[in-house]
Amino acid sequence: MPLHSIRVLDLTRLLPGPYCTMMLADFGAEVIKVEDPVAGDYLRDFQPKTDEDSAFFHSLNRNKKSICLDLKSEKDRKHFLMLVETADVVVESFRPGVMERLGLDYENLKDINPGIIYCAITGYGQTGPYKDKPGHDINFLSDAGLLHVMGEKDGKPVIPATQIADIGGGAYPALTGILLALLERGKSGKGQFVDVAMLDGVVSWMHMLLPSFFAGQDVNRGEELLNGGFACYQVYETKDQRHLSMGGIEPKFWEAFCEGIGRTEFIPLLNKPLHVQEQLIEQIGEIIAGKTLEEWLKIFSGKDACVSAVQTLDEAAKDPQIMAREMIQSVQHPQLGNMKQIGIPIKLSESPGRIITHAPKRGEHTNEILREIGAVKT
């Protein structure tokens, strides 16, 4: 596997860091989850639980090992530093200054291992006036201005159902930064510090919003092409209170859609101004409300119209395309039996990622790892 020789020390908790290290582990890295002996990763305690640990924890911590170390203890800090000598990557998600107070920041660790790649995932980064400010996904979306333009025109901002800042702004930039640093180390032999701020990541996702704003155009909630202002990129309610999504931005897809609903006179209105779009959305809404979701899906079957059913989670989990791409997998757990897991989104032809082991119990591998580095006698 691509990362089979890479050892990662993972001090992160909850979502962004564990998602990042899960991806590393899925492609062969040895990820050692360093947990507090008492609390461990807080995600273990979330509901619902499948055993003593949460379903979320099982999902995000597959393919990893767990070791319990109290980093406030001199003895366990020494053990951690012994691990650093053997490691390639350290990932942490504490607020700036926490690791420095423990004497375990990048400046100290690189003296022990010059090749170490140290990735810090925080809300606001290591610099700037907000660096010590706490926050969660909703805060980073708010600070970036993204939450302001999410939702219907005359409604309040809508909180997204998945964590955009945590995963898109934190986990994936961290994963990319670590892999870039590993590539650079292969040339120079030196590690480096990877500073990932979730706010930075969210801002970087706004290429379809900020350039328009910089060009002098107002960007408002529910009035833009891609946030609900246009009829061609819209969600419509069907007769049976289900919903149909339409993403026909290009003329050929819009034309196919208009033909499907029997209103070819709408074709020239694709890019008309907002007041026309509002009328068009209302008219199309009345048309879509005249048939059930199943009836519309039959009408649009085989047509290139960018029309989809807004599926429930149950429907999505059984979707033939999602299943064909192995994005829902069944994995055997020794105690829990058959367990469904989210699959691996990056498909490599020669060295694909794999789900090999279940999420570890807290401290499950402590003795094994400490024996390996000579911290305890065999």
Side-chain angles (χ1 to χ4, degrees):
M1 300 178 77
L3 301 175
H4 76 278
S5 61
I6 301 299
R7 170 171 277 188
V8 179
L9 304 182
D10 176 10
L11 286 80
T12 66
R13 301 163 179 167
L14 300 175
L15 177 57
Y19 187 105
C20 168
T21 57
M22 175 194 70
M23 293 290 286
L24 294 170
D26 285 349
F27 286 92
E30 180 191 21
V31 174
I32 300 174
K33 191 172 180 67
V34 181
E35 300 190 68
D36 178 85
V38 178
D41 184 342
Y42 311 142
L43 196 64
R44 290 183 182 272
D45 297 324
F46 279 43
Q47 296 292 342
K49 291 191 174 184
T50 53
D51 49 10
E52 65 266 32
D53 295 320
S54 71
F56 303 126
F57 184 86
H58 280 283
S59 185
L60 285 162
N61 290 282
R62 64 197 186 203
N63 291 338
K64 301 178 187 179
K65 298 177 179 179
S66 172
I67 179 173
C68 282
L69 294 176
D70 178 2
L71 297 181
K72 295 179 182 178
S73 154
E74 184 177 344
K75 177 184 175 183
D76 281 1
R77 276 201 306 275
K78 180 181 177 182
H79 290 163
F80 179 74
L81 292 174
M82 292 172 71
L83 274 173
V84 169
E85 292 180 25
T86 72
D88 300 281
V89 179
V90 171
V91 189
E92 56 99 345
S93 56
F94 300 112
R95 281 204 241 176
V98 170
M99 291 294 278
E100 184 178 3
R101 288 193 292 273
L102 292 169
L104 301 176
D105 57 308
Y106 175 62
E107 294 302 318
N108 283 307
L109 298 192
K110 75 175 183 178
D111 288 340
I112 296 169
N113 181 351
I116 199 72
I117 291 159
Y118 186 115
C119 179
I121 305 171
T122 59
Y124 298 101
Q126 303 297 310
T127 59
Y130 293 176
K131 69 181 182 65
D132 296 318
K133 184 179 175 182
H136 280 295
D137 201 271
I138 193 170
N139 305 116
F140 312 136
L141 299 182
S142 300
D143 291 326
L146 181 58
L147 195 62
H148 175 72
V149 293
M150 297 180 73
E152 296 184 1
K153 179 181 177 182
D154 298 317
K156 70 176 186 179
V158 172
I159 301 171
T162 196
Q163 288 64 50
I164 295 173
D166 284 0
I167 298 175
Y172 271 106
L175 175 66
T176 304
I178 289 166
L179 295 177
L180 289 170
L182 285 169
L183 186 64
E184 165 60 22
R185 192 184 67 175
K187 303 173 185 176
S188 67
K190 295 180 180 179
Q192 59 184 297
F193 186 83
V194 181
D195 176 6
V196 172
M198 286 178 267
L199 175 58
D200 294 354
V202 174
V203 172
S204 78
W205 273 41
M206 297 172 67
H207 284 278
M208 296 301 288
L209 295 168
L210 286 175
S212 296
F213 173 75
F214 296 149
Q217 177 179 309
D218 287 338
V219 178
N220 298 309
R221 185 183 317 130
E223 295 185 2
E224 310 306 318
L225 173 61
L226 300 180
N227 75 354
F230 279 61
C232 65
Y233 201 84
Q234 193 61 244
V235 174
Y236 296 102
E237 187 172 339
T238 59
K239 184 178 182 179
D240 52 345
Q241 286 77 55
R242 293 297 303 274
H243 291 89
L244 195 75
S245 68
M246 162 59 181
I249 300 170
E250 297 87 349
K252 62 180 180 180
F253 299 136
W254 173 246
E255 183 177 336
F257 175 75
C258 293
E259 290 173 351
I261 64 172
R263 298 298 294 271
T264 54
E265 68 269 26
F266 290 167
I267 293 173
L269 307 179
L270 173 60
N271 294 311
K272 292 296 181 180
L274 190 61
H275 70 279
V276 177
Q277 296 297 329
E278 290 173 349
Q279 296 172 6
L280 198 52
I281 290 168
E282 184 177 350
Q283 290 176 283
I284 294 174
E286 292 174 356
I287 295 167
I288 298 299
K291 298 182 186 296
T292 66
L293 177 63
E294 185 176 354
E295 287 172 331
W296 282 120
L297 292 178
K298 286 181 179 178
I299 287 170
F300 285 106
S301 177
K303 295 183 185 295
D304 284 344
C306 294
V307 167
S308 297
V310 177
Q311 298 194 127
T312 65
L313 293 181
D314 182 59
E315 290 167 338
K318 299 172 183 175
D319 186 279
Q321 179 65 23
I322 293 173
M323 297 301 293
R325 297 286 293 174
E326 298 184 322
M327 284 309 300
I328 303 294
Q329 298 186 22
S330 293
V331 180
Q332 276 300 119
H333 189 282
Q335 282 81 45
L336 301 174
N338 191 40
M339 176 182 283
K340 286 188 176 180
Q341 285 267 344
I342 297 171
I344 300 166
I346 300 170
K347 316 295 187 187
L348 299 184
S349 63
E350 302 302 322
S351 49
R354 290 183 291 159
I355 301 174
I356 300 172
T357 61
H358 58 82
K361 301 297 182 187
R362 188 172 75 236
E364 181 179 338
H365 304 91
T366 301
N367 290 333
E368 170 193 328
I369 294 167
L370 291 181
R371 280 197 300 269
E372 180 206 318
I373 63 173
V376 296
K377 294 181 181 179
T378 57

